[in-house]
Amino acid sequence: MSVLTLVAPITGVVTPLRAVPDPAFASGTVGQGVAVDPLDAVLVAPCDAVVRHIHRARHAVTLDAGGVEILLHVGVDTVRLEGRGFTALVDAGRSVRAGTPLLRLDIDVIAQGAASLLTSCVVLTPGVEVEPFVGGTHCRAGTDALLRIRLPETAVAVAGGAKEVGPSSSAPDVQTRTVIVRESSGLHARPAALLATIARGFEAELRLAKGARAVDVRSVVGLLTLEAACGDALTLTAAGADAEAALDAVAGWFGGATPYTMTSRAPILTGTLRGIAAAPGLAVGAVRQWAAEAPVRPRRTEDATGERRRLEAATATAGIELETLRDRLIAEGHAARARIFDAHLALLRDPELVSEAEDRLLEGFAAEWAWWSTCAAQAERLRGLRDATLATRATDLRDVGRRVTRLLGEGEASVDALAALAGLIVVAEDLTPSEVVDLGRAGVVGLCMTSGGANAHAAILARGLGLPTVVGIDPAVLGVPDGVEAILDAGTGTLQLAPGAEACEAVHARQQRAQARHAADLAAAHAPSVTQDGQHVPVLANVGDADGSGARRALAAGAEGIGLFRSEFAFEHRAESPTEAEQVASYSAAAGGIGVGRPVVIRLLDVGGDKPLPYLPMPIEANPFLGERGLRFLFTHETVLRTQLRAVLRAAAAGPVALLLPMVTTLDELTRVRALVEAERVALGAPAIPVGVMIETPAAALLADRLAASADFLSIGTNDLTQYALAMDRTHPRLAAQADALHPAVLRLIAQTVEGARQHRRPVTVCGALAGDLAAVPLLLGLGVEELSVDVPLIAAVKARVRGLTLADCRVTAQAALACADATEVRALAAARHGEES
């Protein structure tokens, strides 16, 4: 009997495999072994071996040590990270020695997205004896012995390599079936181990093929090397006496009612779970786990023509539903958010999506499976992209998939099921925009999602509905049983479980105070926003509606003008750019809607980064937020720029209009635009209009004194300024909580902008999200910001906040904030000096 010793693959605390919160590992289904709770960031080879496979998500490595197959699997549910936090240091096929680094880990990133960091070292080869070493609980990577493997000389490891499918697959004793991968993350370690276990219960030789490559189903490694993704069609063959029963068992797993999930996760009953604040507010209620997506079973039919008619009818009805939902939101004053469903309509009619679904119809699949599997596969491709914004759109695609599937007879929850959710806090891995709207109308009091970001469509809609929402919350929330009472504080991003009667009563009291304050704010919405020591701080509105409806709502809400007209909304969801006449009508409607004499600041088309336009060519960029955005894009499309400049100049006849330039980083950019504005003004014989600069980058803030010498005003866009100052993508679902605009570095850039503008007596406005953050208002006033421009629903509250402050106190607070260490300290300072107004 030969012996193979495995050393620790990572430094940490040794833990029994049964402690891993994943039944496939804990039960020994995957194999025998041990786990390590990591204290280091490098995974190494536990013995001399050949690297057989590195999963595409880079969370798992399989090794071949002289016929013994070994799996190193970092964390639980880490396949869903899609490679984030993992760097491969070797390639498949390489021979390595014990202690050779295999993966580098970003523990912080992985910890935020994984159910557990426990790293499993598992022997996959059946028929061997695995003995853990008895010793201390701490181990050092590449040094301390972890496992002893006793391999009988007669034992032969299961061959898991891929090979070409030979002609024998068509022999009479070979049976064949087609199966579809339904697991959302593909055939990763957990489902592969289950399939291998099922296969080992039969005598028949079972092989699974993807294209021309086939592997033994008994081999976990072999299954992993297929790299089979959700929606892939695979060929399953069996040969032997019990071939039919084996096929039924394995194919049954692929077509089962539900994919394999962590059903044995220990229930979480108490404690506080943390996530990212997406839509502020407080809620008290019982937890309810949500899984609206019913399983869709693959079903075959010979009537491809009939199935195509069914699919066409369902997609047509889905289009009507989406248009109705969009129009309803517009009628309720949420025009900007309604455009989310314009994006859904575009996906519904995407020719590539429709073509792929039709191909599956021709393969003999029924409409339900053809459509759903196509959407699921495309969504997985989006989730795998490095661009975080595009990856979050996978949820929108799944939403479209569910809508059509429901209309075909399978899918979403019933109206009765929704009605039963009134007064509850809904918990889910993810929610689609349609589900958020449905749940909000059903009377749900709060939402918690383990995935998603604060700028995802679902979060945007939740904010519009006033529905407290936390995203990116600890995945342990999925183990909270239905009925557990909880407090959701979506302002701080926390869910407190089993808080007790006293805590719930305190929250109810806070809610009552907030409701009373909101009613008082609305009653005084048209009163001037003047500080207690006499400083008038105009509160303006951010709008983007092309028909002037946003301006009219802003006026009714108490706005003193429009501080940011987002002109890009008029360019979106079209086949071509709006004409000059269309733009003049849009800008004039805004000027007329906001009232006589009130200013309207029109931002030039601001696209690029996370805002593409399908009809204007944009290069594919590795870092789109650092590429052709704002003015950089317009300079390469000068016809579009000149048309918009003429439209703004002509709209000045309807009221006091100003022009705002996005993404300025150099003085030359301002000079070039001013020259174009003057040329068009002279050609039109129009009066001059003010031209301002958006301060959205550290470069612009540092050059504020030079820019202010040539600009008529400065407007600070805190969303972009924060992401560029902190080097954190503001659309990243796991960095959103850290990308806080009250970080002292951002406040210092604001202070420098104000100082630069003051040298030339230029006014400074903040038009980013920070202007609507009530905790930030005293800091902005204290730094010298003269105007605030906010979303319409926030106008009354911001004006009330200004009326409750003195400028002298704000200046003291602002100076102290500049000396703070981080945003948390700044928020604590603001709350202590000016009260809890977050």
Side-chain angles (χ1 to χ4, degrees), residues 543 545-552 555 561-562 565 583-602 647-648 650-658:
V543 301
D545 307 82
D547 60 359
S549 59
R552 291 190 293 273
L555 179 63
I562 295 175
F565 184 91
Q583 292 185 59
V584 172
S586 175
Y587 309 150
S588 299
I594 197 62
V596 178
R598 289 182 170 85
V600 177
V601 179
I602 301 170
V648 174
R650 290 174 58 190
V657 166

Side-chain angles (χ1 to χ4, degrees), residues 768-793:
L770 194 63
D773 184 338
L774 299 184
V777 170
L779 298 169
L780 295 175
L781 300 191
L783 291 173
V785 171
E786 297 169 66
E787 295 181 338
L788 302 172
S789 189
V790 303
D791 289 345
V792 172

Side-chain angles (χ1 to χ4, degrees), residues 168-407:
S168 61
S169 62
S170 60
D173 60 339
V174 175
Q175 300 187 42
T176 302
R177 293 188 193 175
T178 298
V179 294
I180 307 293
V181 179
R182 295 179 59 252
E183 172 73 23
S184 62
S185 298
L187 283 186
H188 56 96
R190 187 190 303 137
L194 283 170
L195 283 175
T197 301
I198 293 170
R200 290 167 191 161
F202 297 90
E203 296 291 334
E205 178 185 350
L206 284 158
R207 300 193 71 76
L208 194 62
K210 179 182 178 183
R213 296 175 61 81
V215 298
D216 191 325
V217 183
R218 291 178 176 82
S219 170
V220 176
V221 177
L223 293 171
L224 291 175
T225 61
L226 284 180
E227 295 281 0
C230 179
D232 282 350
L234 308 178
T235 301
L236 176 65
T237 60
D242 56 357
E244 185 171 355
L247 278 177
D248 287 342
V250 175
W253 181 86
F254 280 98
T258 56
Y260 184 83
T261 57
M262 291 177 58
T263 53
S264 67
R265 184 195 299 271
I268 305 297
L269 300 174
T270 61
T272 298
L273 304 176
R274 299 186 179 278
I276 299 166
L282 281 168
V284 179
V287 167
R288 172 64 63 85
Q289 299 288 337
W290 172 257
E293 180 187 330
V296 180
R297 299 170 183 262
R299 181 171 64 84
R300 288 191 169 275
T301 175
E302 296 181 0
D303 185 12
T305 301
E307 292 303 300
R308 181 180 288 106
R309 291 196 193 99
R310 291 181 64 229
L311 182 57
E312 288 172 350
T315 53
T317 303
I320 294 171
E321 287 186 350
L322 288 168
E323 289 169 352
T324 301
L325 188 54
R326 177 197 60 194
D327 295 344
R328 183 193 304 164
L329 286 171
I330 291 173
E332 293 173 355
H334 303 299
R337 297 179 179 97
R339 290 184 174 88
I340 291 170
F341 294 103
D342 280 329
H344 284 205
L345 283 164
L347 287 171
L348 182 69
R349 296 158 183 165
D350 182 88
E352 183 177 338
L353 197 69
V354 173
S355 176
E356 188 172 334
E358 289 180 345
D359 287 344
R360 298 193 181 195
L361 291 175
L362 293 174
E363 292 171 6
F365 289 104
E368 292 88 343
W369 178 255
W371 179 259
W372 173 248
S373 60
T374 297
C375 290
Q378 291 275 31
E380 285 302 311
R381 290 169 200 155
L382 284 175
R383 286 183 61 186
L385 296 177
R386 292 184 178 181
D387 187 302
T389 303
L390 292 177
T392 60
R393 297 303 175 254
T395 301
D396 297 318
L397 187 52
R398 289 198 301 275
D399 197 340
V400 172
R402 290 174 186 173
R403 182 176 294 278
V404 175
T405 302
R406 171 179 55 79
L407 291 168

Side-chain angles (χ1 to χ4, degrees), residues 96 135 163 207 230 271 279 285 303 330 420 427 538 606 635 665 749 770 832:
V96 294
K163 70 178 185 181
R207 300 193 71 76
C230 179
D303 185 12
I330 291 173
V427 170
D606 184 17
F635 285 144
T665 55
L749 290 172
L770 194 63

